[in-house]
């Protein structure tokens, strides 16, 4: 771990001091000492970190022990300039830095790389409780001493250092939590709470420090969900005739989801400094995060090609030059009633030991050992039911068993939920039975259950030596870091079939919960089944061993050795550092060739192991020029890299054989044909690489007021996207369908479509940020203040092979954040808003796979008020009331992505997903003594 990562975190009660190794600018403006607490203390500490770091950074700091400004660390990070969060199930979870996908960001804990429980490298920040963190520093330009720096940036989560405190400190925080309105599912509560306790003390005459922390989260969340499957014209089934060309919804779903999120997290930090020469720190972190998700609702096709459906009383409007069906009646709809139950368990453990020894007054050596592991286990369960009770089940031969046609009116709004009115009672337990109700012969099963499992481990050793110098170069350091990362993913898939030959069956009342209302879409109530008790009573499981199953399982191992050197310099008004990293990388992936060419026969996978190794040389420069009076200029230049997505590095190959290759073209005996093709991953992928340049102007007015404007330019040498190349299919047996090519010479060389390194492009942007204590302008306004930022980003990255330009994940053209606050005499008030423009986001899609969609403009408004007693018997006791998602901002996506999906005549897009999560209310107390 570098000296930067070991920087002491200043909190109330700590000694505020510049790191002794940070070069001092003799001409820098000395800011007046201002004693601040609470909100302003957090702002002041963040500004201090930003000002003192040689690299270009953004930072947030806790207002007090266990009091970062938001209930989620991701929410706090998302307020920093140039950063944006993606909401997942209503919660900020993953972060994009400067318009690049989360995969381009590295996350550290106290300077050490963290294992991820996701499919790739991006860390899900809700695994780290904000109550146990002292600060977060986002590096936008590299520091050569820190290994594993991200291409877009690096997030370093930092805990306290107990020896920076001068006395014992104990802090307790307790909050109750409530989601507005009634519980969407009656058997899942919409209230919870959170609590934390932190203990910091020093022993042995201040030579040994100990910090312990525990945080418990029991947090509900809710989601009213609507999704449109697509839009299509059904002129043959529509009246009046004037609506024949109208775009009509061809399918939709309404789901009510309730979640319970439970997390227990612990930290333990032991710091030992027996003398001026030896300094040791042991960091331990553990968290267990459990999620339960209950979803109930209805989905149905409104398609003229299904069930001889017709549409009457259709009212239309012009939308983008196209005729659009605003309202009408569907005759012949068959809603499928869904009861789903998902679980997820994440277990994260990190340990790190850092030892520093001062050889003499100028020379220090450090050794850092660390280990991080993350394990995720999920259950993804869906079941189907419908109105009616038939003999047997829905199959292609018996397509209408137990399927009852309904009449459903609809009205589609411009923004928000459509309004439906059904004719049947889908909460009637005497009429609604379990079983497949899909049209066109059904889905072939009565439900499905999947069990994704992900494990990742990182072991790292970091050795570093540094020496202080006289003259222009003030300090030099050099060292080596070795990191071994291994990751595996398994997904066990099962079809669910009703017992007794898929016989549709009514649910015994003992396994029912109160019906779930879909009133937000006007649909009424649906049958609610308690799957935790009913699943094994009604269903049998059958393993799914198709090609998709094998393709979701893989193993990857990486060994990365980083040699680094850095020199700090200072002369006149200049200071900064110049560094170099030499990164040697070895990667290996184990997967299978998935031979599913013989229809009806079991797949016989063939193990395959491939990999690559390569070396990157990454120079970096960070330069500061002090203009005096708190004004300064920054310039940075560097080569950066980010390792590829791990799911794209899988070695799996799925071959296909086109026995009709001669159809439509003459083939003569003896002619060579190429019927082979395939898709898969690429274990030989090289990193994303970029040249990066930053220029910034900063003005530090006082401890709580600053202004900054920064421009950045990243030129990616390469980008990874799907490409088509050649592949040797030798060794894969010819399928029986190859007999259709008798007399031909079947070449083993075919085409394969896989992720590959291709042409890069440019990402560039402008960031404006600042903080203003109004008391700086006019003393009577002391206590009022604001912080904010706005970022503009553009890119021409990721051109598709056919020349069409599509956007990269995570890039929003504009992002802004604004916070206003008042703090005086113990009273605090704050309101914050963050906004990001539409962007391409990664989400979970069908069959537990990851995919992309366009997430429309997203905003979040949060507010809080509080009071802390300043004297008397209650001194140190604080009260807090907080409202998150104050405006109940929706989550929305559009149909299609980039140039895909149904559009209007003028090229306009049509809505796809609309969700609301409700306001979250928290009331809490905190006490420090």
């Amino acid at each position: 771990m570098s000296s930067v990562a070991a920087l002491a975190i200043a909190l109330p009660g700590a000694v505020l001091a510049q790191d002794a190794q940070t070069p001092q600018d003799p001409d820098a403006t000395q800011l007046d000492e201002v004693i601040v607490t609470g909100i302003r203390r957090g702002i002041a500490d963040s500004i201090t970190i930003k000002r003192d770091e040689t690299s270009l950074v953004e930072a947030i700091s806790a207002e007090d022990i266990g009091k970062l400004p938001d209930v989620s660390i991701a929410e706090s990070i998302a307020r920093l300039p140039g950063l944006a969060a993606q909401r997942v199930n209503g919660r900020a979870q993953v972060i994009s830095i400067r318009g690049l996908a989360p995969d381009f960001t590295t996350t550290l804990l106290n300077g050490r790389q963290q294992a991820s429980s996701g499919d790739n490298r991006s860390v899900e920040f809700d695994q780290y409780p904000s109550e146990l963190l002292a600060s977060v520093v986002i590096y936008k330009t590299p520091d050569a001493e820190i290994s594993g720096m991200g291409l877009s940036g690096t997030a370093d989560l930092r805990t306290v250092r107990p020896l920076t405190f001068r006395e014992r400190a104990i802090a307790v925080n307790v909050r109750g939590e409530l989601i507005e309105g009634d519980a969407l599912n009656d058997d899942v509560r919409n209230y919870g709470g959170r609590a934390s306790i932190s203990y910091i003390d020093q022993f042995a005459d201040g030579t040994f420090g100990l910090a312990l922390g525990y945080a418990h989260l029991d947090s509900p969340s809710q989601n009213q969900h609507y999704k449109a499957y697509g839009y299509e014209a059904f002129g043959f089934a529509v009246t009046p005739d004037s609506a024949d060309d109208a775009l009509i919804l061809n399918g939709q779903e309404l789901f009510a989801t309730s979640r319970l999120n439970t997390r227990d997290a612990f930290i333990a930090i032991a710091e030992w400094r027996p003398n001026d020469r030896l300094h040791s720190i042991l960091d331990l972190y553990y968290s267990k995060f459990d999620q339960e998700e209950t979803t109930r609702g209805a989905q149905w096709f409104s398609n003229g090609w299904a069930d001889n459906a017709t549409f009457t009383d259709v009212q239309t409007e012009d939308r983008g030059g196209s005729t659009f069906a605003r309202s009408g009646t569907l005759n012949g709809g068959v809603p499928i009633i869904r009861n789903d139950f998902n679980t997820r368990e994440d277990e994260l453990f990190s340990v790190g030991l850092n030892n520093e020894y001062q050889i003499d007054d100028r020379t220090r050596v450090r050794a850092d050992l660390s280990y991080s592991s993350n394990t995720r286990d999920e259950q993804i369960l869906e079941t189907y039911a419908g109105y009616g009770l038939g003999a047997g089940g829905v199959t292609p031969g018996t397509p209408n068993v137990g399927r009852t046609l309904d009449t459903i009116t609809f009205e589609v709004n411009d923004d928000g939920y459509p309004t439906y009115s059904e004719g049947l009672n889908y909460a009637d337990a005497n009429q609604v039975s379990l079983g497949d109700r899909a049209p066109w012969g059904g889905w072939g099963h009565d439900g499905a259950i999947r069990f994704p499992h992900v494990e990742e481990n990182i072991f790292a050793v970091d050795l570093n030596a540094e020496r202080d110098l006289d003259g222009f170069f003030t300090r030099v350091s050099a060292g080596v870091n070795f990191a071994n990362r291994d990751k595996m993913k398994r997904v066990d898939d099962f079809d669910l079939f009703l017992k007794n030959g898929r016989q549709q069956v009514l649910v015994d009342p003992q396994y029912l919960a109160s019906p779930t209302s879909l009133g937000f879409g006007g649909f009424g109530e649906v049958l609610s089944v308690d799957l935790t008790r009913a699943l094994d009573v009604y269903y049998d499981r059958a393993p799914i061993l198709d090609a998709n199953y094998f393709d979701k399982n893989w193993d990857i191992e990486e060994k990365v050795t980083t040699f680094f050197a850095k020199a700090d310099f200072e002369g006149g008004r200049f200071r900064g550092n110049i560094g170099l990293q030499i990164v040697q990388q070895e990667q290996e992936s184990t997967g299978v060739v998935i031979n599913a060419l013989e229809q009806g026969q079991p797949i016989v996978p063939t193990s395959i192991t491939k990999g690559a190794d390569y070396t990157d040389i990454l120079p970096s420069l960070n330069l500061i020029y002090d203009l005096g009076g708190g004004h300064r200029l920054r310039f940075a230049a560097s080569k950066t890299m980010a390792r590829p997505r791990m799911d794209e590095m899988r070695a799996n190959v799925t071959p296909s054989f086109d026995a009709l290759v001669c159809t439509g073209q003459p083939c003569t005996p003896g002619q060579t044909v190429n019927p082979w093709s395939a898709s898969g991953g690429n274990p030989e992928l090289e990193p994303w690489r970029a040249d990066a340049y930053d220029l910034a102007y900063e003005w530090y007015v006082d401890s709580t007021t600053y202004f900054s404007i920064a421009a950045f330019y990243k030129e990616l040498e390469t980008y990874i996207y799907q490409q088509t190349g050649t592949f040797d299919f030798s060794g894969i047996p010819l399928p029986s369908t190859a007999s259709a090519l008798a007399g031909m010479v079947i070449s083993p060389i075919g085409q394969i479509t896989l992720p590959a390194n291709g042409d890069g492009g440019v990402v560039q942007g402008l960031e404006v940020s600042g903080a203003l204590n109004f008391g700086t302008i006019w003393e009577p306004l002391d206590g009022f203040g604001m912080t904010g930022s706005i970022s503009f980003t553009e890119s021409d990255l990721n051109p598709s092979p056919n020349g069409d330009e599509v956007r990269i994940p995570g890039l929003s053209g504009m992002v802004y954040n604004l916070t206003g606050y008042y703090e005086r005499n113990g009273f605090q008030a704050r309101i914050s808003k963050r906004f990001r423009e539409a962007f391409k986001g990664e989400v979970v899609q069908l069959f537990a796979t990851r995919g992309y969609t366009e997430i429309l403009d997203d905003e979040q408004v949060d507010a809080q008020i509080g009071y802390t007693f300043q004297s008397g018997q209650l001194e140190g006791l604080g009260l807090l009331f907080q409202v998150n998602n104050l405006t109940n901002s929706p989550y929305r996506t559009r149909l299609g992505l980039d140039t895909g999906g149904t559009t209007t005549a003028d090229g306009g897009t049509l809505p796809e997903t609309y969700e609301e999560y409700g306001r979250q209310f928290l009331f809490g107390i905190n006490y420090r003594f």
Side-chain angles (χ1 to χ4, degrees), residues 307 333-337 384-395 398-406 424 426 431-438 502-506:
D307 298 312
V334 183
I336 301 164
I337 305 307
Y384 319 131
Y387 196 96
L389 182 63
V394 172
T395 69
T398 56
N400 293 311
V401 171
R403 301 180 73 247
T404 305
L405 303 182
D406 197 1
L424 300 174
Y426 293 95
Q431 296 293 334
V432 177
S433 65
L434 300 178
D436 183 6
R437 295 305 202 280
R502 298 189 65 192
Q503 174 59 52
Q504 295 175 8
V505 60
L506 299 175

Side-chain angles (χ1 to χ4, degrees), residues 833-852:
K833 179 181 180 179
R834 70 171 190 265
F835 171 86
R836 73 179 299 187
E837 280 189 335
F839 65 101
K840 182 178 179 178
E842 186 179 21
V843 297
V844 176
Q845 296 182 328
L846 289 175
F847 311 122
T849 57
R850 307 291 290 187
Y852 294 104

Side-chain angles (χ1 to χ4, degrees), residues 515-590:
T516 295
S517 173
L518 303 179
F520 59 90
F523 193 83
E525 296 181 333
V526 296
L527 191 75
S528 297
V529 182
D530 181 0
L531 290 174
T532 60
R533 296 186 299 126
L535 180 64
D536 293 331
V537 174
Y538 292 104
Y539 295 94
D540 292 321
R541 304 180 187 185
I544 304 173
L545 299 175
D546 59 6
N548 185 55
Y549 160 77
F550 289 100
D551 197 33
K552 288 187 291 191
N553 299 306
W554 42 262
D555 296 85
I556 292 174
E557 182 178 12
E558 299 175 340
K559 297 178 180 179
V560 180
T561 303
T562 304
F563 301 93
F564 59 88
K566 188 176 81 169
D568 294 327
F569 58 84
E570 181 178 354
R573 294 184 177 273
F574 286 97
R575 68 180 179 93
N577 62 56
I578 186 169
L580 179 69
Q581 290 188 344
I582 300 175
V583 186
Q584 296 179 347
Q585 299 152 93
E586 300 178 26
Q587 62 193 40
E588 184 177 270
S589 174
T590 299

Side-chain angles (χ1 to χ4, degrees), residues 731-775:
I732 302 177
L734 291 173
S736 57
T737 56
S739 60
L741 299 175
M744 308 297 168
V745 177
I746 299 176
S747 171
I749 304 302
Q751 291 187 332
I752 186 170
T753 301
L754 75 177
N757 297 91
D759 294 336
V762 170
V763 178
Q764 58 188 346
L766 184 70
E767 301 164 351
V768 181
S769 63
L772 175 61
N773 178 356
F774 290 164

Side-chain angles (χ1 to χ4, degrees), residues 494-512:
F494 298 87
D495 278 327
L496 296 178
F497 296 102
L498 289 169
K499 295 179 183 296
N500 301 320
R502 298 189 65 192
Q503 174 59 52
Q504 295 175 8
V505 60
L506 299 175
V507 181
D508 191 297
Q510 67 174 310
Y511 301 116
L512 295 177

